[in-house]
Amino acid sequence: MPTVFVNYRVLEQPGYATLLHRELAQAFGSDRVFLASRSLRAGDDFVREVFAHLRRSQVLLAVIGPRWLDYTGDPDEDWVLREITEAFALGIRVVPVLVEDADLPAGLPAGVEALRRCQYVRLRHYSIDSDIAALVTHLRGISGDRPSPSVFRVGGAECRIGIHAGSIRRVHDCDVWVNSENTDMRMARHTDFSVSAIIRYWGSLRDEAGRITRDLVADELEELAAPRRPVAPGTALVTGSGALEGTNNVRYVVHVAAVQGEPGAGYRQVSDIGGCVTTALARVEPLGVRTILFPLLGTGVAGANVTHTARMVVQAAVYHVERHPETSLRRISFLAYDDHERLALEEAVRMSPLVPDLSG
């Protein structure tokens, strides 16, 4: 069962938030649903307890009524915004819960803009029972367990190809994480909704309130990239993993220039996305690592086609294994954040010479 954090504005929709807490606590258990007004005890340190519960959650429900934006304050003091910003930085699933006829707000503050891209659910007084039942059903399908990769092999090679389903934050068995970067090699803001932002935030040192005190991975990348910026498309730079070594067993981060900007047109995926995989693998071979994890490079902000990208990156991984039978790598994995990415990767596998690994 998922662990759920209910985020709401006291001045706007406390009744619906309390109702959600009661119904979800009945469905999942009170220890798996957090609502500050019900879950905190007298004398608790508000900041420490709120963020500690949030970091243990799989889902944040953002309760949004018609006047939600009217009550928005300073982002550093607005606890609702801080909780949502933290959830995006942690890679936690954020579900907007629209009350009655509320719409997803336009002109959202920095750090929570990704709310508008999140699929919402709605609660209405005249269908409240069925609306909550549908939400409970949806939440039951969200597992907080670490994902088990689907593993495939190429002929008799020892190195396997894997698919990891779910958030990158749940991956604890890959020595190297690959970060899709732009040709300026500047990591995303830690409040953005991207793999780059997650790696930056979780690789940093933070205080009790979650504020970054040392930007370890981003600072190391800046030192490497500054003398050569902008780098050529497909360039791969290797940094340490900062605090991710302690939380997720990650030893290195490979930053690949998989996205490039065009004046007046925004970002686009580089033309040879398979080459980005090839370059990243070549960079890690001398490190003697055993496992590496790739996201679907260039499909986030750059908006590249997921199906095409999946085919290109799987094809490049298979080619590497075939060409380097002596590789020290034992698994090359790809991250499928949602069902669309998972299905695209599974289709790419079916179109390749890969076969299921049934060795255990």
Side-chain angles (χ1 to χ4, degrees):
M1 293 297 104
T3 303
V4 182
F5 187 102
V6 181
N7 164 279
Y8 72 103
R9 292 199 180 283
V10 175
L11 295 177
E12 197 202 22
Q13 296 296 338
Y16 275 96
T18 302
L19 176 63
L20 271 179
H21 177 267
R22 186 189 72 191
E23 296 297 318
L24 296 180
Q26 289 179 357
F28 305 129
S30 59
D31 61 329
R32 302 195 70 85
V33 185
F34 179 85
L35 180 73
S37 62
R38 294 298 180 93
S39 303
L40 295 178
R41 302 165 300 177
D44 280 347
D45 183 311
F46 180 84
V47 175
R48 183 172 65 242
E49 291 298 320
V50 164
F51 283 102
H53 280 85
L54 179 58
R55 289 165 191 151
R56 291 196 295 268
S57 299
Q58 281 82 55
V59 183
L60 179 142
L61 301 180
V63 181
I64 298 174
R67 299 189 61 194
W68 187 87
L69 204 57
D70 295 344
Y71 293 106
T72 300
D74 183 335
D76 289 332
E77 302 296 332
D78 187 323
W79 284 97
V80 168
L81 296 183
R82 287 184 62 180
E83 290 164 5
I84 296 172
T85 299
E86 178 84 352
F88 280 128
L90 299 176
I92 292 169
R93 183 184 296 265
V94 176
V95 179
V97 180
L98 303 184
V99 173
E100 302 298 348
D101 296 324
D103 293 318
L104 282 170
L108 290 166
V112 300
E113 304 100 322
L115 261 178
R116 288 190 61 82
R117 302 199 300 271
C118 296
Q119 181 61 47
Y120 64 83
V121 299
R122 192 175 290 279
L123 296 183
R124 296 150 294 198
H125 70 278
Y126 56 82
S127 57
I128 191 67
D129 290 338
S130 60
D131 289 344
I132 289 180
L135 176 59
V136 168
T137 298
H138 173 73
L139 293 175
R140 286 190 191 280
I142 299 172
S143 170
D145 296 334
R146 295 177 185 176
S148 298
S150 299
V151 182
F152 306 87
R153 58 183 174 82
V154 186
E158 292 189 42
C159 183
R160 305 301 197 244
I161 309 292
I163 299 174
H164 261 290
S167 169
I168 194 171
R169 282 286 298 124
R170 309 296 172 195
V171 178
H172 292 77
D173 61 351
C174 289
D175 300 325
V176 180
W177 283 4
V178 177
N179 172 31
S180 178
E181 272 307 336
N182 53 64
T183 49
D184 278 340
M185 283 291 178
R186 287 191 171 96
M187 299 188 77
R189 296 174 303 174
H190 73 273
T191 54
D192 288 349
F193 186 48
S194 67
V195 168
S196 178
I198 290 171
I199 291 174
R200 180 176 186 176
Y201 182 80
W202 280 97
S204 69
L205 298 181
R206 303 171 300 281
D207 62 19
E208 279 191 348
R211 295 187 181 92
I212 292 177
T213 56
R214 290 187 62 194
D215 209 353
L216 298 175
V217 180
D219 287 349
E220 186 176 352
L221 179 61
E222 176 64 23
E223 186 175 347
L224 288 174
R228 62 186 84 179
R229 183 178 286 135
V231 301
T235 298
L237 302 179
V238 181
T239 69
S241 61
L244 280 167
E245 184 166 7
T247 59
N248 291 72
N249 303 312
V250 182
R251 294 171 56 194
Y252 302 99
V253 177
V254 179
H255 307 264
V256 181
V259 173
Q260 60 187 116
E262 292 184 342
Y267 289 102
R268 65 175 177 83
Q269 185 187 65
V270 300
S271 58
D272 184 11
I273 201 64
C276 292
V277 173
T278 300
T279 303
L281 292 172
R283 289 302 308 272
V284 301
E285 286 289 0
L287 303 177
V289 294
R290 309 276 288 181
T291 50
I292 183 170
L293 179 71
F294 287 86
L296 286 181
L297 304 169
T299 60
V301 174
N305 182 275
V306 169
T307 300
H308 172 75
T309 302
R311 292 175 183 172
M312 294 300 101
V313 297
V314 168
Q315 188 178 93
V318 170
Y319 182 76
H320 183 85
V321 173
E322 291 176 335
R323 296 279 293 182
H324 300 277
E326 78 292 348
T327 179
S328 62
L329 286 167
R330 289 298 173 262
R331 191 175 72 249
I332 301 168
S333 292
F334 293 98
L335 182 72
Y337 175 73
D338 54 24
D339 286 343
H340 181 41
E341 293 186 354
R342 177 180 58 80
L343 292 171
L345 284 165
E346 289 174 352
E347 175 65 18
V349 166
R350 284 193 291 270
M351 297 177 64
S352 75
L354 291 168
V355 296
D357 178 24
L358 304 177
S359 62

